[in-house]
Amino acid sequence: MEKLVIEGGRALNGSIVASGAKNSALPLLVAAALAEEESLLENVPHDTDVDVMCAILKALGASVRADGPGRLRVSGAGLTQAQAPYELVRRMRASFYVAGLLLGRLGRAVVALPGGCSIGSRPVDYHIKGFEALGAKVSLEHGFMKAEAPRLTGSKYYVSRASVGATINTMLAAVLAKGTTILENAAREPEVVDVANFLNTMGARIKGAGMDVIRIEGVKKLHGAEHEIIPDRIEAGSYLILGAMTGGEVTVVNAMGEHLRALLSSLEAIGVAVEETTTAVRVKKKEPLAPLNVVTQPYPGFPTDLQAPLAVLLTQADGVSTLRETIFDGRFKYVDELRRMGADVKVERDTAIITGPAKLTGAPVEATDLRGGMALVIAALAAEGRSEVSGLEHIDRGYEHLSAKLQALGAKVERIRV
Ligand code: UD1
């Protein structure tokens, strides 16, 4: 087991570079396997979720090979296995994206149902309805989804709750379907647009990604293409929150302000100085911070993935803030750990009520999920004294080079084996 040992309470300063977006990389790797020809993905983050996706694709017969830092070459020429191995699929919900790939390429998919997850129940019924809308026959047996459709046929599908996963999965299945698919109430997240852009360079015909109606004209075949993954807005946002909490001045190079609008306006509303250029976003700590009421929403609203990091920052605001979580039903698990560091946070149903400013002090804490884990790291960096953060396997899923990036900002952080 490993732990992050943090000596907190130091002002952090400097700049780091945002990595490629994990939530784009995962479906992009799958999308690349839709073609027999090889594709090149650049700016691929090296985190454990990406490793798991590569392993699943290889198990299905696709080829994935590294071609220098952040570069992966993927080809679906050898894709013959329609059954995704349970042991790998169960490790990550996004593995369910291979269902769209397998249905599109092989007309058949057998994929383990992802089950529960530490941020709440996360069913895949909207994905399945998408496949059914395209004509697949789907059954659920022994914990697996079995779907079959010798040739998918385009149709209209209204995506419930503008689900990111269901939008992307249905899009992956629809690009090789016969005829036109129209996705209504589609997710508008930048990662959806990134996947659509890549598919289009592979020869797909997708219009409207980034809006709530996406039109996909099916094509017979896709070809290889090259694509650079967009910067990770959630990673960038996490470091900006960290900067607002512990800076000094922190610059995140490659952060795209347009993808972070809801966060940046929240930061400005509480009094953080935010400066944007075309290639970076910089934050400067200001005191005192004003309290804020925030509700998580699908993009372009405030992202649920930054709810926990923002909660940590709001512990330093002067007054009572509220954070209402509307996307997932169990996303306040980190709060108990945060309280142990001195935060004054109450959870009432879907809302965290945060009273500040609180003096945070270092403590041993355990990450129970990816973003909640990063929130604890941010709290530990701001807290006075020593903290030990365990449960790093959650944080490693989505924050590449975490210790190195924190050290570049002047943090006293050490990763130790225990
Ligand atoms: C993706 C992101 C995740 C982010 C979330 C919301 C990836 C790999 N993960 O997750 O980081 O927090 O978007 O921005 O990109 N739902 C159902 N049935 C379904 C699908 C979803 O009930 O079939 C529910 C979910 O439980 C949740 C809501 O719909 O309450 C939205 O989920 P969704 O947008 O699908 O999130 P993910 O794609 O799983």
Side-chain angles (χ1 to χ4, degrees), residues 23 93 122-127 161 163-165 305 327-328:
N23 288 351
R93 230 187 99 78
R122 295 179 76 178
V124 283
D125 49 335
Y126 308 156
H127 302 232
R161 295 184 71 184
S163 156
V164 176
D305 286 351
I327 309 293
F328 292 110

